[in-house]
Amino acid sequence: MSLLRRPPPDGTAPHEYNSKKKRKVAEIYQALNSDPIDVAALRRMAISEGGLLTDEIRCKVWPKLLNVKTDDLPPAPGKELREDNEDYQQVLLDVRRSLRRFPPGMPDEQREGLQEELIDIILQVLQRNPQLHYYQGYHDIVVTFLLVVGERLATALVEKLSTHHLRDFMDPTMDNTKHILNYLMPIIDQVNPELHDFMQSAEVGTIFALSWLITWFGHVLADFRHVVRLYDFFLACHPLMPIYFAAVIVLYREQEVLDCECDMASVHHLLSQIPQDLPYETLISRAGDLFVQFPPSELARKAAQQRVERTAASTFKDFELASAQQRPDAVLRQRFRDRLRVEERTKSFLTKPRTNRFVKLAVMGLTVALGAAALAVVKSALEWAPKFELQIFP
Amino acid sequence: MEAAADLESSLELSYSGAGPGGLPPARSRIFKIIVIGDSNVGKTCLTYRFCAGRFPGRTEATIGVDFRERAVTIDGERIKIQLWDTAGQERFRKSMVQHYYRNVHAVVFVYDMTNIASFHSLPSWIEECKQHLLAGDIPRILVGNKCDLRSAIQVPTDLAQKFADTHSIPLFETSAKNPNDNDHVEAIFMTLAHKLKSHKPLMLSQPPDNDKIHLKPEPKPATTCWC
Ligand SMILES: Nc1nc2c(ncn2[C@@H]2O[C@H](COP(=O)(O)OP(=O)(O)OP(=O)(O)O)[C@@H](O)[C@H]2O)c(=O)[nH]1
Ligand SMILES: [Mg+2]
């Protein structure tokens, strides 16, 4: 429905656009109605242009993407829910301040009712899963589900999401979250080493992307339609996809970043303010492409490899220090960097020229939307956790 | 949505305390100040108040670290004050906020005068700050916020003062909200800036400024509420 109101992309005539949409709606229903339900097709639809198109469809497809049975929802919470829950106060504070997440014209009374439901969903999921810990920003994710599918179903979806995609963010500490953030710079480095080096010398860190990652961009995007479009994408993909999307946004803003003063404050400030008019469909397909080209396993290997080289180069425990967020001596680190970079460049010149990657990227642009790479992305989503896969295809 | 725009534009809104004669030098010094304290004590409101000149209509939970900045002129010297507004929830400070402790020139501890628990958290904030800061003696101040909520005060001034004295940290009680207190929030941060300016060894070296116009009277630290 939102697609209808938006101007069609790349000069497609409106009627053509509408018929494309109609076709997609039909395909989605076909996948939903086939026996067994064609979940892989639904994933492709959720990734490809426009995502799942309407909230009505999302209500039907999101549960399938998460393998949640809609006829077996958790019971409504009892009154004791709020009584001795250690997170209640923090949840309350955050939900009360989350007015911006609700549609602008919504009457106060209705919004307040939804805020109460939001608190209940969060507390219920936490209560049923004592291993999960609340974090500020979790409420930004839950509110999206509440607004799209309603309280009961949202509880079930959020519970599944929290024990899978968001699991790392809900540990007792944020060490794993930090670890995931550590993927950001290597991805950027693969595509645009100049940008990477600039950010590195600004020592901007990755905290600017923290709220993007742990709220799936729900905290920073003002237009709800963009948020749900992204959720379609992320629900269909590997749980690390949000970090690829974060990288794609930074890469998209290359010029702005390079024009910025090279210091932590300026770059952090620039990047933490997301432009609201991003070309979401293009960025989504780029994120998918990047994921296919540089899958998490490869990035992890690179990180590990770098670690060996660096620690071998010196007794200086650069890597450990960096991961402990303590700053090693900047000069020393720069020296390592420079040498590594020379080595890397020579290596990549001999094997796989970097420029090729740019070309490849440009050529592959939109392939995810067209479905070819989408398959790979979908496949990787299933490879991610065998347990999860079993749940999807019992 | 409007609130987001508000918060986002605080950098643009930042105004200078420079008088008409205050020509900005080529490169102004930067004072980095980190603002810490429990969730909901009003860190975002205080930093916004100082940088944008008013109380924000709405705030949201801070996730990670937000950055605000304002240029001021002190004794004729143009100085950028950078405020790092941090998340209050414990899990963030444990692993995320450390990055921002480095190179800071001053620390502002905030508690909520209407919430005794936020006051009781101060020792752990102070302890943590000690652990992260390499330079031992950087200026620190303690701010009790929300003094406008008179009937709800849980932290009496004498208790807070005693605590402040024990730790030798100057105490201010204020309100980010009360419009009459605008000058006060301003005075608090300006006091800190003055302190930093006289705390030269820590700062970037800067060509001396011979134009010594005293634009802002040195505010006196207050230990009572100015509401
Ligand atoms: N009455 C009153 N309310 C205030 C004042 N300062 C802040 N508040 C309110 O207190 C609540 C929390 O303010 P924030 O600035 O968001 O708190 P914070 O410390 O940044 O919280 P976190 O980001 O969660 O760490 C908001 O609802 C503000 O409106 C004040 O001086 N007086
Ligand atoms: Mg805040």
Side-chain angles (χ1 to χ4, degrees), chain A residues 128-165:
Chain A
R128 289 161 56 99
N129 301 275
Q131 78 280 16
L132 300 181
H133 299 264
Y134 176 75
Y135 61 88
Q136 287 186 295
Y138 184 67
H139 66 297
D140 287 316
I141 289 197
V142 181
V143 74
T144 307
F145 285 88
L146 172 63
L147 292 176
V148 173
V149 305
E151 183 180 8
R152 297 293 308 290
L153 184 51
T155 309
L157 298 187
V158 166
E159 181 164 27
K160 184 54 101 32
L161 194 74
S162 306
T163 50
H164 293 85
H165 296 66

Side-chain angles (χ1 to χ4, degrees), chain A residues 97, chain B residues 40 42-45 59-63 66 85-88:
Chain A
R97 285 181 289 172
Chain B
N40 207 55
K43 299 178 295 296
T44 298
C45 291
T59 57
E60 288 189 77
T62 305
I63 297 172
D66 281 339
D85 170 24
T86 63

Side-chain angles (χ1 to χ4, degrees), chain A residues 355-366:
Chain A
T355 45
N356 246 3
R357 293 197 167 141
F358 290 102
V359 175
K360 198 167 154 203
L361 258 189
V363 172
M364 284 186 74
L366 293 169

Side-chain angles (χ1 to χ4, degrees), chain B residues 152-174:
Chain B
I153 301 291
Q154 290 183 359
V155 185
T157 302
D158 54 348
L159 180 67
Q161 188 59 62
K162 220 152 107 196
F163 178 84
D165 290 346
T166 323
H167 289 86
S168 341
I169 306 177
L171 170 70
F172 301 83
E173 290 181 340
T174 193

Side-chain angles (χ1 to χ4, degrees), chain A residues 90 100 136 171 273 327, chain B residues 8 39 60 89 91 102:
Chain A
Q90 188 67 59
R100 206 157 72 82
Q136 287 186 295
D171 271 350
Q273 316 295 322
R327 194 171 57 122
Chain B
E8 278 155 19
S39 181
E60 288 189 77
Q89 198 190 6
R91 62 192 354 266
R102 49 196 185 91

Side-chain angles (χ1 to χ4, degrees), chain A residues 303-354:
Chain A
Q305 197 181 333
Q306 253 194 11
R307 175 186 182 171
V308 172
E309 285 181 39
R310 285 192 193 190
T311 42
S314 159
T315 53
F316 196 67
K317 290 204 173 141
D318 190 17
F319 188 87
E320 275 86 352
L321 280 174
S323 54
Q325 292 282 300
Q326 290 162 28
R327 194 171 57 122
D329 177 72
V331 181
L332 251 182
R333 204 170 52 158
Q334 195 55 47
R335 228 174 46 216
F336 286 148
R337 266 221 74 71
D338 290 344
R339 198 175 52 226
L340 274 175
R341 194 148 295 295
V342 171
E343 284 170 12
E344 256 171 44
R345 288 222 164 100
T346 333
K347 241 190 295 173
S348 57
F349 180 72
L350 291 172
T351 54
K352 211 185 325 171
R354 253 171 206 276

